[in-house]
Amino acid sequence: MERSLAIIKPDAVERGIVGRIISRIEKEKLKISAMKMVHLTKGEAGRFYYVHKDKIFFNDLIEYMSSGPIVVMVLAGEGIINKWRQIMGATDPAKAEEGTIRRIYGTDIQRNVVHGSDSSESVKFEVNFFFSELEVENGA
Ligand code: IDP
Ligand code: MG
């Protein structure tokens, strides 16, 4: 079964919209196979986002991602990587399609509420980063 790693980012947890985002996931009939809340250190955030280490926004990004707790989830289902990215919307909320999570709740290109894996290679790294096999529901 295809998986994707989803994150409800610190801005969303701080604003108290975790429930609304999980509700949306349920309304879309996506399957949540694992879920927990963690607070990353800056170093951990840097390891998670290592692909962006040379970008100019890297330091701000890891500062933001370690600024408070996040909710991490494994989503599972056919085509879930693209499906979840479509429901999230484009990286920049201002450019995201009407009705997407980032369009509805996003503040700016950095504080864009949610994360989703972008490929099966990144899923492997990202799921292993946060979860052991034991923590992911059987069959997902
Ligand atoms: P994605 O989350 O849509 O996959 P990426 O390009 O992988 O977008 O960027 C990772 C995260 O880095 C974004 O979700 C956003 O929080 C932040 N980010 C991306 N581009 C910028 C930027 O130009 N300025 C500030 N932050 C950015
Ligand atoms: Mg990305």
Side-chain angles (χ1 to χ4, degrees), residues 81-93:
I81 297 174
N82 287 331
K83 212 180 266 179
W84 174 235
R85 285 197 68 97
Q86 263 168 29
I87 294 164
M88 288 199 305
T91 308
D92 183 352

Side-chain angles (χ1 to χ4, degrees), residues 9 49 51-52 55-58 60-61 64-65 85 88-92 102 108-118:
K9 294 182 175 184
Y49 276 119
V51 291
H52 295 306
K55 305 270 169 66
I56 48 159
F57 59 80
F58 180 71
D60 281 350
L61 173 61
Y64 154 60
M65 287 302 292
R85 285 197 68 97
M88 288 199 305
T91 308
D92 183 352
R102 283 168 163 174
D108 55 42
I109 194 165
Q110 177 185 77
R111 286 170 295 169
N112 58 5
V113 179
V114 280
H115 166 86
S117 306
D118 65 2

